[in-house]
């Protein structure tokens, strides 16, 4: 089969299309014929081996696919071991969800990893309460576009979207954000506070560096910052525990890999997300579809912040 295989760590240039053997089912995994694979920012970290979990070479990246089982069932699935950037992949039945009529491949991929992340960031980690003010960084991205909508749907009093360009901020406002700010603002804390009309209750943060630092300072008492990535590849300042106590604020980490180990958490989120999308109550934003052979360009576009929403690979032309 055709697949993107990485044989050395590095930037987008290490994503090379190769002929490789078909994956062989074992340990209860089921083969699927892949119709589309999702691209996530974590894939860029995996390619350079800077992700939470060290990678082993050679590897086929890709943590989510839409595919057809040997019985002809169309499913969307998470792939904890990777392998999605390929014509065929192995999926776990526990992390596969049948797709309802009316949900296309790109919609499904927008919901599976990034949708489940947005769902759990708000419900499980932040424990969003009605009336609270929420800041969503990277609000035009795959997680951000869904988090903006879910926060509003679940009763947030105000949603502040942070994004790097005027077009991205306009998109966030169209999706329901109450205000949109420039994520590159010199004084990001003040930009957040001004837009919110005061300090905020919840921040969803995946940039790291100064974005983390300034966002933490924007929290109101009992506010929570949920960190789920480090797109800038810059470490924030060490968290001052005394300051957390003094301000009654909290920092919570989230990694979707822990949901992989508790499949009921994944299926619960997916069932609600798919129902909302099928009913037209949740809009998915697809920012680009690439042939499998163009995976390198997709990573280049993603890392340069030229994209919005969900990026998709199609293994067949």
């Amino acid at each position: 089969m055709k697949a993107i295989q990485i044989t050395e760590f590095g930037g987008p240039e290490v994503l090379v299309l190769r002929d490789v053997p078909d994956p062989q089912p074992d340990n209860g995994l089921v083969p699927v014929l892949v119709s589309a694979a999702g691209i996530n920012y974590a894939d860029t970290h995996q390619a350079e081996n800077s992700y939470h979990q060290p990678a082993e070479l050679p590897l086929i990246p890709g943590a989510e696919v839409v595919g057809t089982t040997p019985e002809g069932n169309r499913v969307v699935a998470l792939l904890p071991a990777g392998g999605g950037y390929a014509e065929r992949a192995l999926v776990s039945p526990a992390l596969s969800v049948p797709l309802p009529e009316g949900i296309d491949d790109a919609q499904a991929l927008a919901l599976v990893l990034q949708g489940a992340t947005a769902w759990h960031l708000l419900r499980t980690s932040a424990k969003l309460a009605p009336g609270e003010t929420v800041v969503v960084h990277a609000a035009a991205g795959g997680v951000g576009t869904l988090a903006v909508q879910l926060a509003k749907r679940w009763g947030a009093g105000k949603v502040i979207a942070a994004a790097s360009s005027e077009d991205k901020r306009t998109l966030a406002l169209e999706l329901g954000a109450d205000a949109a700010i420039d994520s590159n603002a010199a004084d990001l804390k003040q930009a957040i506070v001004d837009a919110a009309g005061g300090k905020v209750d919840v921040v969803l943060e995946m940039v790291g560096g100064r974005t983390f630092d300034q966002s933490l300072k924007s929290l109101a008492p009992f506010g929570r910052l949920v960190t789920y990535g480090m797109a800038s590849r810059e470490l924030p300042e060490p968290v001052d525990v005394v300051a957390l106590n003094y301000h009654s604020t909290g920092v919570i980490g989230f990694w979707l890999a822990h949901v992989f180990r508790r499949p009921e958490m994944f299926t619960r989120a997916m069932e609600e997300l798919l129902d909302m999308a099928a009913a037209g109550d949740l809009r998915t934003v697809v920012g680009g579809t690439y042939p499998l052979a163009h995976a390198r360009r997709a990573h280049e576009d993603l890392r340069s912040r030229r994209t919005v929403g969900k990026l998709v690979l199609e293994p067949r032309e």
Side-chain angles (χ1 to χ4, degrees), residues 97-118:
V97 179
L99 286 178
E101 293 293 330
I103 299 291
D104 63 29
D105 288 359
Q107 279 181 294
L109 289 170
L111 295 174
V112 60
L113 193 152
Q114 291 163 326
T117 295

Side-chain angles (χ1 to χ4, degrees), residues 31-246:
V32 295
L33 187 65
V34 176
S35 57
I39 301 170
N40 295 285
Y41 208 91
D43 300 347
T44 71
H45 285 286
Q46 187 182 47
E48 64 185 17
N49 202 25
S50 63
Y51 198 46
H52 300 307
Q53 184 173 335
E56 295 183 5
L57 297 174
L59 70 89
I60 297 172
E64 57 186 358
V65 296
V66 173
T68 305
T69 68
E71 296 75 28
N73 299 318
R74 184 167 164 262
V75 299
V76 63
L78 282 175
L79 281 60
Y85 289 17
E87 293 180 321
R88 294 176 178 82
L90 299 177
V91 305
S92 165
L95 294 172
S96 303
V97 179
L99 286 178
E101 293 293 330
I103 299 291
D104 63 29
D105 288 359
Q107 279 181 294
L109 289 170
L111 295 174
V112 60
L113 193 152
Q114 291 163 326
T117 295
W119 195 99
H120 281 291
L121 289 173
L122 291 165
R123 279 263 168 92
T124 305
S125 296
K127 299 189 184 303
L128 176 66
E132 291 190 314
T133 299
V134 179
V135 177
V136 179
H137 286 289
V143 174
T145 53
L146 296 169
V148 165
Q149 296 175 77
L150 292 174
K152 290 297 292 185
R153 183 175 179 84
W154 293 338
K158 187 177 288 186
V159 174
I160 310 301
S164 60
S165 72
E166 189 64 38
D167 287 347
K168 291 180 178 181
R169 292 190 288 274
T170 298
L171 172 61
L173 292 170
E174 291 172 354
L175 293 172
D178 297 286
I181 63 172
D182 185 352
S183 57
N184 296 313
D187 189 339
L188 184 57
K189 173 201 167 184
Q190 195 59 49
I192 291 171
V193 170
D194 288 347
K199 291 196 170 184
V200 302
D201 303 298
V202 172
V203 178
L204 307 183
E205 202 287 304
M206 50 73 71
V207 181
R210 65 176 291 273
T211 301
F212 178 102
D213 299 334
Q214 293 286 302
S215 297
L216 184 57
K217 293 174 182 177
S218 76
L219 289 178
F222 306 107
R224 293 86 70 202
L225 183 151
V226 186
T227 173
Y228 65 103
M230 201 171 298
S232 70
R233 292 165 166 79
E234 296 176 2
L235 290 171
E237 294 293 326
V239 174
D240 183 342
V241 177
V242 174
L244 294 183
N245 292 340
Y246 182 76

